[in-house]
Amino acid sequence: MRKIDVSYDDGILNKDDEYIVGVNDGTTFNNVKYKGVRLFNGKKMLMFQTKANRQLTINPSFHTFTLEKTDSKSKARAGLLETAHGEIETPIFMPVGTAGTVKAVHQHEIKDDIKAQIILGNTYHLYLRPGLEVIENAGGLHKFMNWGGPILTDSGGFQVYSLGDSRKIKEEGVTFRSHIDGSKHLFSPEYAIDIQRTIGADVIMAFDECTPYPCDYSYAKRSMHMTHRWLKRCCDRFDSTEGKYGYDQTFFPIVQGSTYKDLREESAEMIASFEREGNAIGGLSVGEPAEEMYATTDLVCNILPKDKPRYLMGVGTPVNIIENIALGVDMFDCVMPTRNARNGMLFTSEGFINIRNEKWKNDFSDLDSNGTSYVDSQYSKAYLRHL
Amino acid sequence: MRKIDVSYDDGILNKDDEYIVGVNDGTTFNNVKYKGVRLFNGKKMLMFQTKANRQLTINPSFHTFTLEKTDSKSKARAGLLETAHGEIETPIFMPVGTAGTVKAVHQHEIKDDIKAQIILGNTYHLYLRPGLEVIENAGGLHKFMNWGGPILTDSGGFQVYSLGDSRKIKEEGVTFRSHIDGSKHLFSPEYAIDIQRTIGADVIMAFDECTPYPCDYSYAKRSMHMTHRWLKRCCDRFDSTEGKYGYDQTFFPIVQGSTYKDLREESAEMIASFEREGNAIGGLSVGEPAEEMYATTDLVCNILPKDKPRYLMGVGTPVNIIENIALGVDMFDCVMPTRNARNGMLFTSEGFINIRNEKWKNDFSDLDSNGTSYVDSQYSKAYLRHL
């Protein structure tokens, strides 16, 4: 008999086998027989039967994280994050599908060739185009883009700050002008949650302020405290609303505090105290030296709970990813692979390649002879250079 | 026992079965046993054994065309064209892979999803980029672009004429300046064949002059006669050279004569007299009314031999294609599907769609519910509009 965290899928539970079932409030039920899944109002519920023939109907958490293995020589770990749209093996890199598409790649290629287990959507871009009405009419982003796997959305904060002069940050939220038509909009913590509810991402991010690098101490401190207040508002909104499309979503708060040790400690402790199903580290990969990034990640990972996934936002290069995995990070995203590829830079098992370089003109070897994707072995360097 | 045209592939012949083998010079051999394929100097030869134990070694024609069915109500026909890189069922539309790629589509998608049986390459574009040295080093265009199916190349003539002021037509050939770097080049009939030998297309086109529309009679007549003289030079070059990569190529001459009945008749008769393995009709789809196109096609198809494939160059819209099939055309190419798609126009089973139109904003139906390609059913109109 094994102790299980209740799962959303009866695939891993055997009918009539006995389990110890632990539920979120700490209660455990011993020797209960699994009886299968039943639908209540369109929602999957797990059915168990106790020794005393009492029926247990359990609303499974759709976002359980299981820590499967921890490295003995580093803080690296392997885990499994379960969502309504499938399991994610961590550590994981999440390709960025900015406005509802990983550019120039078919959904079946992301799934079958790249084997991405989760992709990202950008709230700011999706909000402006195609807009919430279209996404809601489509039945959410998964259906709109025909992607059946998990999706994570950022809160729109990062893009909004990047707008520079066209945005204003206040306690209420951020006012900004669209980069497309100059129209005026307000993102508040509450509205950022509402938008992400409408997009229907499996993992929703808190609305925070991402401070630039460098950032003076007093600004970083003030900003971090506002991020914490915004987090409370995000949580209140998230907890008082439901997913719009019949499946559960989960919510990750974000640690800020620039590169200041005491601020990062304070923020990590505050974020951990919210006890959400996962936690993120923001405000890095914004220009700081790699050592500062690693020091901050290390510090924050030591504070964030071990049994929750840790997501380092916007990182990064292959080396950055490996180093941060060793510090205990589980999830990553970055536009680098897709953006750099569009500019001719490839990440191969043998290092960076600038495919526009003259030296590849007559090199008919595979793009990456150790690669696992279709393109790695089907096209030569000379051919890609030509294209 | 069935009579066979010698095939390049032993897959359709059963070892030790008896066949009647017909070869190109008209000789037939009865009751010969097929003994398999043998390589002679890298070339596949079919082995047969006669009743009298005589060995027949046959160099199979790689470009046989079999007329399989003729429509009783029109001049439409169904045929099979065999090449060293596979069979082509006609009538066929050939997607245009300008400079060694059908833009934005993977080779496996062209093969497995679009199910293209042959694609086009443009001699002019390939000659300028990546250039002959790279293509030859790669072992030909098939290997360079990783496309295992048949390829047809135009002769470069059409693109060169499109250059307008940057080209000069003389008896020797055409001098032109590259649209990329302004460098000066000469395409002669002989060189156009040499280039296509190096590209390694299965079907090589004659170097002709494509007259514009409208075109005055005397110019059309003079140009046509030059095209005929060039054709002789093309044939001489083609027949005195061999494929560079161990497989046979074939050569199609091109009928010209603008929209003048007598010129088209004269040209069609001249082209037919060359008795090549296929024939093409050029100088159409250059702005003339559809009726003029159909009248010319009809006239020319009545003269060109029935037992050879007929290729109408640069045509066209779905309606143009259907109408010309009814007049006896077997092969088509046009940039329209790919170029128009890049500009938001789709050909669907229910007609043209401008996917940028506001009316599709909330239309989550399939792109084409009768379509056969992955994209037809996997993406909605609203999603494609958004992209």
Side-chain angles (χ1 to χ4, degrees):
Chain A
M1 208 162 43
R2 63 194 171 96
K3 184 165 187 294
I4 56 157
D5 286 323
V6 178
S7 160
Y8 67 95
D9 188 334
D10 62 345
I12 62 161
L13 300 176
N14 296 315
K15 203 179 165 196
D16 289 328
D17 276 3
E18 294 194 337
Y19 295 91
I20 303 171
V21 173
V23 288
N24 288 346
D25 66 359
T27 322
T28 58
F29 297 90
N30 291 306
N31 302 91
V32 292
K33 271 191 188 165
Y34 178 59
K35 304 304 282 182
V37 165
R38 269 180 67 181
L39 282 180
F40 284 95
N41 299 326
K43 203 161 184 176
K44 279 187 180 175
M45 305 290 262
L46 301 185
M47 307 294 297
F48 291 90
Q49 194 170 39
T50 66
K51 281 278 179 200
N53 272 335
R54 199 180 131 214
Q55 284 271 45
L56 282 184
T57 304
I58 292 174
N59 178 3
S61 162
F62 281 81
H63 298 92
T64 54
F65 179 67
T66 316
L67 204 52
E68 307 217 308
K69 204 141 193 176
T70 309
D71 186 27
S72 58
K73 291 176 196 145
S74 74
K75 291 173 192 159
R77 49 250 206 102
L80 193 72
L81 177 64
E82 294 175 59
T83 78
H85 288 89
E87 296 177 347
I88 301 156
E89 294 164 308
T90 63
I92 188 94
F93 179 82
M94 307 181 280
V96 179
T98 314
T101 180
V102 178
K103 286 187 186 169
V105 186
H106 278 299
Q107 263 65 292
H108 74 93
E109 292 172 328
I110 301 174
K111 182 168 163 279
D112 301 329
D113 189 22
I114 299 166
K115 299 193 191 346
Q117 297 176 26
I118 176 170
I119 60 172
L120 235 81
N122 285 126
T123 290
Y124 169 79
H125 290 289
L126 291 164
Y127 164 82
L128 293 178
R129 274 197 327 118
L132 300 184
E133 183 201 339
V134 169
I135 293 178
E136 185 152 11
N137 287 341
L141 181 59
H142 292 85
K143 285 194 180 161
F144 182 58
M145 70 182 288
N146 190 31
W147 167 254
I151 296 176
L152 180 150
T153 38
D154 67 6
S155 64
F158 185 77
Q159 268 82 22
V160 167
Y161 304 125
S162 316
L163 294 173
D165 286 348
S166 356
R167 52 96 179 132
K168 253 186 205 155
I169 305 173
K170 295 180 190 169
E171 185 68 26
E172 164 62 9
V174 180
T175 317
F176 63 94
R177 287 192 180 279
S178 156
H179 74 283
I180 299 171
D181 61 6
S183 56
K184 213 171 165 180
H185 304 266
L186 167 73
F187 275 5
S188 64
E190 291 81 7
Y191 193 41
I193 298 299
D194 292 347
I195 298 172
Q196 293 180 84
R197 284 288 195 198
T198 298
I199 293 172
D202 298 276
V203 182
I204 281 181
M205 299 305 300
F207 190 69
D208 62 341
E209 180 180 5
C210 176
T211 47
Y213 179 87
C215 177
D216 72 56
Y217 183 84
S218 68
Y219 186 90
K221 187 171 180 176
R222 244 184 309 130
S223 163
M224 179 192 78
H225 285 140
M226 185 179 67
T227 285
H228 294 169
R229 289 191 300 274
W230 281 1
L231 173 56
K232 177 75 176 62
R233 288 166 60 189
C234 285
C235 283
D236 288 349
R237 187 61 145 236
F238 182 82
D239 292 338
S240 63
T241 53
E242 287 210 330
K244 290 191 168 183
Y245 310 111
Y247 54 83
D248 274 350
Q249 300 174 280
T250 193
F251 170 84
F252 286 11
I254 304 170
V255 175
Q256 288 290 349
S258 188
T259 46
Y260 301 105
K261 193 168 173 294
D262 62 325
L263 298 185
R264 284 287 177 178
E265 274 174 359
E266 182 185 340
S267 187
E269 274 156 18
M270 171 64 82
I271 265 57
S273 75
F274 276 80
E275 296 187 342
R276 309 305 306 201
E277 289 167 320
N279 299 293
I281 309 168
L284 290 178
S285 200
V286 290
E288 77 284 359
E291 298 68 41
E292 296 235 37
M293 177 201 289
Y294 300 146
T296 307
T297 307
D298 192 24
L299 178 81
V300 171
C301 282
N302 285 337
I303 299 170
L304 292 178
K306 278 200 172 58
D307 60 346
K308 306 280 176 69
R310 300 167 185 148
Y311 163 31
L312 179 55
M313 303 181 78
V315 172
T317 65
V319 167
N320 287 164
I321 291 174
I322 299 290
E323 291 291 339
N324 281 300
I325 286 173
L327 296 171
V329 175
D330 307 298
M331 302 164 73
F332 300 88
D333 80 285
C334 191
V335 294
M336 208 183 275
T338 42
R339 178 176 295 166
N340 290 20
R342 291 201 301 279
N343 292 315
M345 187 204 259
L346 313 185
F347 297 104
T348 78
S349 60
E350 284 158 17
F352 297 110
I353 279 183
N354 179 354
I355 201 65
R356 292 185 180 154
N357 198 308
E358 179 82 12
K359 77 190 260 204
W360 309 118
K361 191 172 179 182
N362 277 294
D363 186 331
F364 302 103
S365 64
D366 288 347
L367 284 182
D368 187 351
S369 51
N370 301 313
T372 54
S373 162
Y374 170 79
V375 295
D376 291 327
S377 59
Q378 295 304 301
Y379 301 125
S380 67
K381 297 185 181 78
Y383 183 61
L384 195 65
R385 178 181 185 277
H386 160 67
L387 293 184
Chain B
M1 206 161 45
R2 64 194 170 95
K3 183 165 188 294
I4 57 157
D5 287 322
V6 178
S7 161
Y8 66 96
D9 189 335
D10 63 343
I12 61 161
L13 300 175
N14 296 315
K15 204 179 165 195
D16 289 328
D17 277 2
E18 295 194 337
Y19 296 91
I20 303 171
V21 174
V23 289
N24 288 346
D25 66 1
T27 323
T28 57
F29 297 89
N30 291 306
N31 302 92
V32 292
K33 271 191 188 164
Y34 178 60
K35 304 303 281 183
V37 165
R38 270 181 65 181
L39 282 180
F40 283 95
N41 299 326
K43 203 161 184 175
K44 279 185 181 178
M45 305 290 262
L46 301 184
M47 307 294 297
F48 291 90
Q49 192 169 41
T50 67
K51 281 278 177 201
N53 273 333
R54 199 182 130 212
Q55 284 272 44
L56 282 184
T57 304
I58 292 175
N59 177 4
S61 165
F62 281 83
H63 298 92
T64 54
F65 179 67
T66 316
L67 205 53
E68 306 217 309
K69 204 143 195 174
T70 309
D71 186 27
S72 57
K73 292 175 196 145
S74 74
K75 293 175 191 155
R77 53 245 208 102
L80 193 71
L81 177 63
E82 294 173 60
T83 76
H85 289 90
E87 296 177 348
I88 301 157
E89 295 165 307
T90 63
I92 188 93
F93 179 83
M94 306 180 281
V96 180
T98 313
T101 180
V102 179
K103 286 185 187 171
V105 187
H106 278 299
Q107 262 64 292
H108 74 93
E109 291 172 330
I110 302 174
K111 182 168 164 278
D112 301 330
D113 189 22
I114 299 166
K115 299 193 190 346
Q117 297 176 26
I118 175 170
I119 60 172
L120 235 80
N122 285 127
T123 290
Y124 168 79
H125 290 289
L126 290 164
Y127 165 82
L128 293 178
R129 272 197 328 117
L132 300 184
E133 183 202 339
V134 169
I135 293 178
E136 186 153 9
N137 286 341
L141 181 59
H142 292 85
K143 286 194 179 161
F144 181 57
M145 69 183 290
N146 190 29
W147 166 254
I151 296 176
L152 180 150
T153 37
D154 67 6
S155 64
F158 184 78
Q159 268 82 23
V160 166
Y161 304 124
S162 317
L163 293 174
D165 287 348
S166 356
R167 53 96 179 130
K168 254 185 203 156
I169 306 174
K170 296 181 188 169
E171 186 67 28
E172 163 62 11
V174 181
T175 318
F176 63 94
R177 287 192 180 277
S178 156
H179 73 283
I180 299 171
D181 61 6
S183 55
K184 213 171 167 182
H185 305 266
L186 166 72
F187 275 5
S188 65
E190 292 80 7
Y191 193 41
I193 298 299
D194 292 346
I195 297 172
Q196 293 181 83
R197 283 289 195 198
T198 299
I199 293 172
D202 297 276
V203 182
I204 280 180
M205 299 306 299
F207 190 69
D208 63 341
E209 181 180 3
C210 176
T211 47
Y213 179 88
C215 176
D216 72 57
Y217 183 85
S218 67
Y219 187 91
K221 188 171 179 176
R222 244 184 308 132
S223 163
M224 180 193 77
H225 285 141
M226 185 180 67
T227 285
H228 294 168
R229 290 190 299 276
W230 282 0
L231 173 55
K232 176 76 176 61
R233 289 166 59 190
C234 284
C235 284
D236 288 349
R237 186 61 146 237
F238 182 81
D239 293 337
S240 63
T241 52
E242 288 208 329
K244 291 191 169 183
Y245 310 111
Y247 54 83
D248 274 352
Q249 300 174 280
T250 193
F251 170 84
F252 286 12
I254 303 169
V255 175
Q256 286 291 348
S258 189
T259 47
Y260 301 105
K261 195 168 171 292
D262 62 324
L263 299 185
R264 283 287 178 178
E265 274 173 0
E266 182 186 340
S267 186
E269 275 157 17
M270 172 63 84
I271 265 58
S273 75
F274 275 81
E275 297 189 339
R276 308 307 306 203
E277 289 165 320
N279 298 292
I281 310 169
L284 290 178
S285 199
V286 290
E288 77 285 356
E291 297 69 41
E292 297 235 39
M293 178 201 287
Y294 301 146
T296 307
T297 307
D298 193 23
L299 178 81
V300 171
C301 282
N302 285 337
I303 299 170
L304 292 178
K306 277 202 171 57
D307 60 347
K308 306 280 176 69
R310 300 167 185 146
Y311 162 32
L312 179 54
M313 304 180 79
V315 173
T317 64
V319 167
N320 288 163
I321 291 174
I322 299 290
E323 291 292 339
N324 282 301
I325 286 174
L327 297 171
V329 175
D330 306 298
M331 301 164 74
F332 299 89
D333 81 283
C334 192
V335 293
M336 208 182 275
T338 42
R339 178 176 294 165
N340 289 21
R342 291 201 301 278
N343 293 313
M345 187 203 259
L346 312 184
F347 298 104
T348 77
S349 60
E350 285 158 18
F352 297 110
I353 279 183
N354 179 353
I355 201 65
R356 292 185 179 155
N357 198 307
E358 178 82 13
K359 78 189 259 204
W360 309 117
K361 191 171 178 182
N362 277 293
D363 186 330
F364 302 103
S365 64
D366 287 348
L367 284 181
D368 187 351
S369 52
N370 302 312
T372 53
S373 161
Y374 169 79
V375 294
D376 291 326
S377 59
Q378 295 304 302
Y379 301 123
S380 68
K381 298 185 180 79
Y383 182 62
L384 195 64
R385 177 182 185 277
H386 159 68
L387 293 183

